[in-house]
Amino acid sequence: MSGGGQRPEAGSVADAAKGNWVDHYAPARWRPYLRLSRADRPIGTWLLLLPCWWGLLLAMLHDGQARVFDLWIFVACGIGAFLMRGAGCTWNDITDRHIDGSVARTASRPIPSGQVSVKGALAWLVVQALVAFAILLTFPAMAIALGILALVPVAIYPFAKRFTWWPQIFLGIAFNWGALLVWSAHTGRLEWPAVVLYLAGMAWTLFYDTIYAHQDAEDDALIGVKSTARLFGAQSPKWLRRFLVAAVVLMTAAVILAMRGDDPIALLVALLGPWALGLHMMWQLARLDLDDTPGLLALFRSNRDAGLLPLPFFAIALFV
């Protein structure tokens, strides 16, 4: 998408964010690689980052401790989310290069459009992964182990739509892993509140990525690619309501487990976080039109704001 109906730059990707910095300001030679990493579409980085920040703040609420190292965890999550989202998207585009060329929305991506070779994409993948790994090595041992284990769902996800109607589950496994990793980075161990928060994130992913997948439902049907959008069809709103309820209930349970009711006022403030998330998801459902492709993309992107909503309540609860 581009302002005024015109491309700001030859090679711009069809669903890139309007006025994105890559098309307008990045050096020309780097633009194809940054597009490969979806740097022109930052919503994915946000969706990977937000469960990390949820996990960090909830871990701080759990043990009542805030350290200088937590500031580094907060910053490292942002850098790592950008790099690992970029590496994951690069891997996805390498594996999907033949499929992407057959789908209108993805045919303009760097590999099917010829902007980047497969060899060049592989090299770019390695660079991003190595820098992310260097950052991971600054974390405690448990977090490092979880970070390495996260590569398994990342590697599997691009193939999931070939063998299951539920590829969004695999995306949820990969995209919410940060909740587990960051909890362990703060506490040094993995505990039940983090696991329940992780499951809440997975329900949220099923919600927003089903909306996203409806953009391609017709093309996916023609080429035999599976998705929850195709599986649910016209029944998608009913399923989205179920995912909404699951996300709110599970995040509420995670907050209760983490805080253990030691401070009722702080607990009440923190509980406003999942309720705020749920209200935003309800707002999305009220505006859902499965036949409105631009509207679907706008709703999907609005999940950055939905995921940000719990954070101020968790942060305020730290000081109550």
Side-chain angles (χ1 to χ4, degrees):
M1 298 175 64
S2 59
Q6 297 178 345
R7 293 286 176 211
E9 162 68 23
S12 178
V13 178
D15 59 354
K18 181 179 179 180
N20 71 83
W21 70 275
V22 174
D23 288 348
H24 289 274
Y25 304 113
R29 64 179 298 180
W30 286 103
R31 288 176 189 174
Y33 294 95
L34 291 170
R35 290 169 184 145
L36 195 60
S37 298
R38 310 286 200 276
D40 53 347
R41 285 154 286 169
I43 179 60
T45 299
W46 280 108
L47 296 176
L48 186 61
L49 172 60
L50 289 168
C52 300
W53 284 351
W54 294 348
L56 176 60
L57 287 174
L58 208 58
M60 294 166 69
L61 284 168
H62 178 65
D63 63 14
Q65 298 184 44
R67 312 179 188 91
V68 174
F69 185 65
D70 293 323
L71 180 59
W72 166 241
I73 294 175
F74 185 87
V75 173
C77 285
I79 302 170
F82 178 82
L83 290 167
M84 286 309 298
R85 190 264 184 138
C89 289
T90 303
W91 172 242
N92 185 82
D93 282 10
I94 290 170
T95 59
D96 281 358
R97 60 190 183 276
H98 301 301
I99 293 175
D100 284 346
S102 303
V103 178
R105 187 179 57 83
T106 59
S108 57
R109 287 179 176 175
I111 295 178
S113 66
Q115 297 179 58
V116 178
S117 67
V118 174
K119 184 177 179 180
L122 284 169
W124 182 237
L125 167 63
V126 171
V127 169
Q128 293 172 98
L130 287 177
V131 177
F133 184 64
I135 294 172
L136 180 65
L137 290 177
T138 68
F139 285 3
M142 172 66 79
I144 293 173
L146 285 169
I148 294 171
L149 187 60
L151 295 176
V152 175
V154 171
I156 294 173
Y157 168 66
F159 303 101
K161 56 183 168 287
R162 296 166 171 82
F163 63 80
T164 178
W165 286 101
W166 293 83
Q168 280 70 25
I169 288 181
F170 288 86
L171 181 68
I173 292 171
F175 257 57
N176 296 282
W177 200 269
L180 305 176
L181 190 157
V182 173
W183 180 286
S184 65
H186 174 83
T187 65
R189 56 193 178 275
L190 189 58
E191 297 171 288
W192 279 112
V195 175
V196 177
L197 182 65
Y198 175 63
L199 295 174
M202 287 184 62
W204 179 48
T205 300
L206 282 163
F207 179 90
Y208 66 65
D209 206 59
T210 297
I211 293 174
Y212 183 79
H214 267 285
Q215 297 176 92
D216 300 329
E218 292 184 7
D219 286 335
D220 286 349
L222 290 173
I223 60 179
V225 169
K226 299 178 174 67
S227 71
T228 49
R230 287 191 60 210
L231 177 64
F232 303 153
Q235 296 299 310
S236 286
K238 179 175 69 176
W239 281 93
L240 292 174
R241 282 191 289 272
R242 293 171 178 171
F243 298 146
L244 185 164
V245 171
V248 174
V249 169
L250 287 166
M251 185 180 284
T252 298
V255 171
I256 293 171
L257 287 171
M259 299 185 68
R260 297 167 293 190
D262 295 340
D263 186 336
I265 297 177
L267 176 61
L268 180 60
V269 171
L271 286 174
L272 292 174
W275 299 339
L277 172 66
L279 284 172
H280 194 289
M281 294 168 76
M282 290 173 63
W283 174 87
Q284 293 180 57
L285 274 179
R287 286 154 180 79
L288 181 68
D289 180 350
L290 299 180
D291 298 318
D292 177 12
T293 298
L296 291 169
L297 182 59
L299 286 178
F300 167 73
R301 287 176 173 166
S302 76
N303 279 279
R304 180 202 65 174
D305 299 336
L308 283 169
L309 286 174
L311 296 177
F313 297 105
F314 292 169
I316 293 168
L318 284 169
F319 299 98
V320 172

